[in-house]
Amino acid sequence: MRRAGAVSPGNVPVCYYGPGGRVPASLERRVRAAEVLLRCAACGLAVLAAALLGADRQTRVFFSIQKVARYTDMQSLVLLVIANGMAACYSLIQCARCLVSIIRGGVLLSRPLAWAIFSCDQVMAYIVISAVAAAMEAALIGKYGQPEFQWMKTCHLYKRFCAQAGGAVACAIAASANMVGVALLSTFNLFRLYGSGKGGAGDK
Amino acid sequence: MRRAGAVSPGNVPVCYYGPGGRVPASLERRVRAAEVLLRCAACGLAVLAAALLGADRQTRVFFSIQKVARYTDMQSLVLLVIANGMAACYSLIQCARCLVSIIRGGVLLSRPLAWAIFSCDQVMAYIVISAVAAAMEAALIGKYGQPEFQWMKTCHLYKRFCAQAGGAVACAIAASANMVGVALLSTFNLFRLYGSGKGGAGDK
């Protein structure tokens, strides 16, 4: 599926070009490896975040009344679990597609498919980032309270619950960073199918 | 600055190509017009959101104690004002650059400049989206409360304050949608400088 770069000068190392055009084969390989790694990492981290939140509960007794803290007590944490579950499933499917593409030795040249992947990646990145931001806001209120509105801090009452939720939010932040990286890569994979690669002449 | 598309077949309407390569001049014009419009709209909406929040205050008297609700009472609203202020300034500068570029009749061909604009647009879009998500979470707690943590709803006490803050959040959501659109356009402007435009052959 690859052909030697006919336009490369003879006195530079031989450069292979994929069917995608002016992208050297070495860059093509690195882009694919990075995509698989980022998608796998995003999947793993999103699963970990969702699992940590799903299993997070702490029971305390206050004046003979038993109270249980769960992630379902806070809407933003429920949203974070849903967003991470979606991100994990999506990343797994995309990871499988990338691996099949690598095994078959092909290159993404279909504009409709590249547009579909690009759109889904963008949407997923923004969903995960939004869910993380909302969860962080709720976590900060839980940690420090909001005295002006009489919203008391609760983390000193449920220390273990809050620590585990904090770990889950940290995993979700790492997963969202990977999703953003993936979104950038799929953007590159889409828009290199357009244009002539003649850039570099300055902003005229 | 423009040349006739020498590669276009004779039996299709004459197509002009800008120096950027395989992008028809009509598409180039539409992309530029869309970029200016989106950036202007983002700037206006971000200013409006920040102004609405900045001017938002309501005084109530509870049992002879006077209480004033301001946006500074909630960290996420302060963050939203800062993020929208940054977005407005940035959009204004970028809008001016776009207009100068249109007046001078040039096309963005510099890869370093395209990378810089792309990076800034991406970062701004994610910052504004995150700030909006955090503010929405706080606004929802203010509106409906979080009974499991004894976080009371406060919007029934400060109705006018909450209504104005809601309007500001709506403006910020619209501004962030524009910022996302701008980020997509600058992505297109960057990556069309790469690749050969030979897409369309399927995922081989």
Side-chain angles (χ1 to χ4, degrees), chain A residues 12-13 33 63 65-66 72 90 95 103 126 139 147 151 160-161 178 185:
Chain A
V12 297
F63 306 109
I65 297 167
Q66 185 170 299
T72 49
Y90 175 73
C95 209
I103 290 165
Y126 284 118
W151 295 348
R160 195 174 51 70
F161 175 83
N178 281 286
L185 272 185

Side-chain angles (χ1 to χ4, degrees), chain A residues 151-183:
Chain A
W151 295 348
M152 298 176 300
K153 56 185 174 185
T154 51
C155 277
H156 65 296
L157 301 173
Y158 299 97
K159 280 186 182 169
R160 195 174 51 70
F161 175 83
C162 282
Q164 193 163 325
V169 170
C171 288
I173 290 171
S176 62
N178 281 286
M179 297 295 289
V180 169
V182 159

Side-chain angles (χ1 to χ4, degrees), chain A residues 16-55:
Chain A
Y16 292 91
Y17 292 88
R22 290 173 183 270
V23 181
S26 59
L27 177 60
E28 186 74 52
R29 276 196 299 273
R30 268 180 286 169
V31 167
R32 284 179 184 202
E35 189 175 353
V36 171
L37 276 176
L38 285 173
R39 288 195 192 277
C40 285
C43 180
L45 287 163
V47 166
L48 189 59
L52 277 173
L53 278 177

Side-chain angles (χ1 to χ4, degrees), chain A residues 20-21 73-74 106-107 109 129-130 133-134 137 146 148-149 151-152 187-188 191-197 200 202 204, chain B residues 21 73-74 76 106-107 109 129-130 133-134 137 146 148-149 151-152 187-188 191-197 200 202-204:
Chain A
D73 293 339
M74 199 176 277
V107 171
L109 284 182
I129 285 269
S130 304
E137 168 63 15
Q146 195 79 52
E148 295 82 359
F149 296 123
W151 295 348
M152 298 176 300
T187 309
F188 172 71
F191 287 120
R192 67 177 166 158
L193 299 180
Y194 295 81
S196 69
K204 292 174 187 171
Chain B
D73 292 341
M74 199 176 276
S76 62
V107 171
L109 285 180
I129 286 269
S130 304
E137 168 63 16
Q146 195 78 55
E148 295 82 358
F149 297 122
W151 295 347
M152 298 176 301
T187 310
F188 172 72
F191 288 120
R192 67 176 165 159
L193 299 181
Y194 295 81
S196 70
D203 193 14
K204 290 173 187 170

